[in-house]
Amino acid sequence: MKIRILERTEHDALLELLDGWELSDGWRGREFFRRYLVEDPSFEERNVWVAEEAGRLVSCVQIFPRELRVEGVAVPTGGIGSVFTREGSRNSGIAGTLLGCATEAMRERGMELSLLFAARVAFYGRLGWSSWPCTRTLLRAPATARSAPADIEIAPFDPARDLAQVVALHAAYSGARNGTTVRDTSGWRSSLRLAGNPHEEFLVARRQGRALAYTRATVLSSFLMLSELGRELSADPAAEALAALVAAALEPRANDPLAPAGKRSEEFRSRLLAPAAHDPELDRALGARGFGTLALPDPTAMLRCLAPEALAKRLGVPAPAQRSRDAVEAFLRRVLPPERFTTWLADRF
Ligand SMILES: CC(C)(COP(=O)(O)OP(=O)(O)OC[C@H]1O[C@@H](n2cnc3c(N)ncnc32)[C@H](O)[C@@H]1OP(=O)(O)O)[C@@H](O)C(=O)NCCC(=O)NCCS
């Protein structure tokens, strides 16, 4: 068995391997993962660790270089995704070995944190990542819908008209939230191609031509998800505009582009899962509109501190006194408390 990074000529072989992954929402593995090779500007062969046996790839792990915000500071971070082993080669330590190689590579490349979204929390827990649980909110449409304030116009995102203003809203709103990913204009362009599953519904609320708030929604495992949101930081009327956008996402529509085959829009749009945005003004505006809410804990985001001294220096805080896993994790919980941690589905890999 050879453990190494991907070669330039092996893109198709990698996609052939990943095509074996049974995915939801109608995806073939090949098509889903192709996007991470061709649409993600951070893709490089050295980001993909593979195991080769008898001339064919049997397992892979991909590093997604990102910058994560911690108290307003951009921290070099290695996202981990595309973790897959062929069925016949499982349970012999291959993925664990590749994750170890990827971890060393991330450290060598100066990545101070690693983030992943796990279906198997215990598996990654044994390998060094820790769950950074958040609470998502299940929102149900109010019995009587309230229309948006008369001066607020809700319309689908139009890149030519809205991109620059939405980039600015994102920079301010996400910039104030720990755990979100820094996204420059090229990151935005790739996010627009990668965030749909495969479709995305992107709405913008504007007043007198100025964007006040936006929501992005998609479908995940047949469920309506708000994958990202943002608004002007002044609470009024931007929080109200954002609540109006959430209400708009819950309105059934003809030829619903997000509703899974065979599901009526009325049923599909009766509830949605919202991210942990930590936005009390939005919560108040949603409450005033009479939304039903249910808190749902989500343990799947997992973090690992790869370089505690470097991270402490970057943040201007004392480094942990010891290097044990518990001490490093306690340090990370102090600088990046899970209770104030936000991740957008739109940033996932
Ligand atoms: C998850 C997945 C990548 C694991 O790949 P793998 O190569 O089998 O991983 P490993 O062999 O390193 O570890 C798998 C298990 O085998 C165990 N194991 C490792 N070496 C072993 C050995 N020599 N003998 C017996 N068991 C062993 C590990 O402890 C681990 O146990 P756990 O599941 O209880 O934690 C693989 O099951 C897969 O591709 N699943 C579908 C895609 C997927 O779910 N990806 C992850 C999404 S988060």
Side-chain angles (χ1 to χ4, degrees):
M1 168 106 41
K2 276 193 212 148
I3 303 286
R4 57 176 174 78
I5 58 170
L6 189 74
E7 288 173 10
R8 263 175 193 281
T9 53
E10 287 181 320
H11 291 194
D12 284 343
L14 178 68
L15 293 175
E16 189 272 321
L17 167 66
L18 286 164
D19 203 42
W21 193 331
E22 305 260 341
L23 298 172
S24 59
D25 304 309
W27 281 105
R28 290 290 316 187
R30 180 188 299 278
E31 301 313 323
F32 182 86
F33 291 101
R34 185 192 304 281
R35 305 191 302 173
Y36 292 140
L37 269 68
V38 296
E39 306 286 12
D40 186 330
S42 71
F43 174 80
E44 292 179 83
E45 283 76 17
R46 66 172 177 153
N47 292 341
V48 183
W49 281 85
V50 292
E52 178 204 317
E53 192 167 47
R56 70 175 195 161
L57 303 184
V58 296
S59 183
C60 59
V61 163
Q62 185 169 349
I63 302 169
F64 293 82
R66 297 286 185 264
E67 285 185 307
L68 219 69
R69 289 198 187 82
V70 181
E71 299 301 335
V73 177
V75 176
T77 297
I80 287 286
S82 312
V83 181
F84 182 78
T85 302
R86 263 187 221 282
E87 241 167 56
S89 303
R90 289 182 187 168
N91 300 319
S92 60
I94 304 179
T97 303
L98 291 181
L99 284 161
C101 293
T103 299
E104 273 323 296
M106 291 190 287
R107 280 207 180 96
E108 278 166 22
R109 289 163 64 179
M111 295 170 179
E112 293 163 16
L113 290 172
S114 176
L115 168 70
L116 57 81
F117 300 95
R120 298 172 59 151
V121 172
F123 169 67
Y124 293 105
R126 280 191 276 282
L127 292 168
W129 283 263
S130 303
S131 179
W132 237 245
C134 69
T135 304
R136 295 179 184 274
T137 309
L138 185 71
L139 290 170
R140 279 183 309 278
T144 335
R146 194 163 102 184
S147 49
D151 58 345
I152 291 184
E153 182 202 348
I154 291 179
F157 170 76
D158 170 352
R161 182 191 60 203
D162 299 322
L163 184 61
Q165 289 186 52
V166 165
V167 168
L169 289 181
H170 170 267
Y173 188 83
S174 292
R177 280 163 173 78
N178 280 341
T180 58
T181 300
V182 178
R183 202 187 287 151
D184 58 14
T185 307
S186 95
W188 258 101
R189 292 201 187 281
S190 80
S191 168
L192 292 175
R193 292 190 294 262
L194 283 168
N197 194 29
H199 302 294
E200 175 173 57
E201 186 176 272
F202 195 148
L203 297 176
V204 181
R206 295 181 305 142
R207 194 169 67 155
Q208 293 164 357
R210 205 177 83 232
L212 285 181
Y214 71 90
T215 48
R216 303 173 72 180
T218 192
V219 55
L220 189 66
S221 304
S222 299
F223 212 87
L224 179 59
M225 311 284 290
L226 271 191
S227 53
E228 179 175 322
L229 46 89
R231 64 171 176 87
E232 258 189 8
L233 292 184
S234 61
D236 189 32
E240 178 57 29
L242 188 47
L245 284 170
V246 176
L250 281 167
E251 276 166 22
R253 55 214 67 193
N255 303 320
D256 193 329
L258 293 187
K263 207 165 191 179
R264 287 181 317 119
S265 185
E266 285 74 13
E267 188 195 346
F268 175 64
R269 301 262 175 187
S270 62
R271 57 205 176 136
L272 63 73
L273 200 54
H278 305 296
D279 184 342
E281 279 93 11
L282 172 63
D283 294 343
R284 266 195 290 280
L286 290 171
R289 281 177 165 266
F291 279 90
T293 60
L294 181 69
L296 288 180
D298 176 356
T300 56
M302 299 189 82
L303 273 179
R304 175 173 188 173
C305 183
L306 301 173
E309 275 80 20
L311 179 60
K313 193 166 165 207
R314 186 181 295 279
L315 299 176
V317 298
Q322 293 160 15
R323 290 296 296 267
S324 68
R325 175 171 172 172
D326 283 354
V328 172
E329 190 182 315
F331 159 74
L332 192 56
R333 285 188 194 280
R334 276 196 302 280
V335 297
L336 192 46
E339 315 78 72
R340 291 195 292 114
F341 189 65
T342 299
T343 56
W344 304 135
L345 192 61
D347 278 331
R348 280 175 69 158
F349 26 80

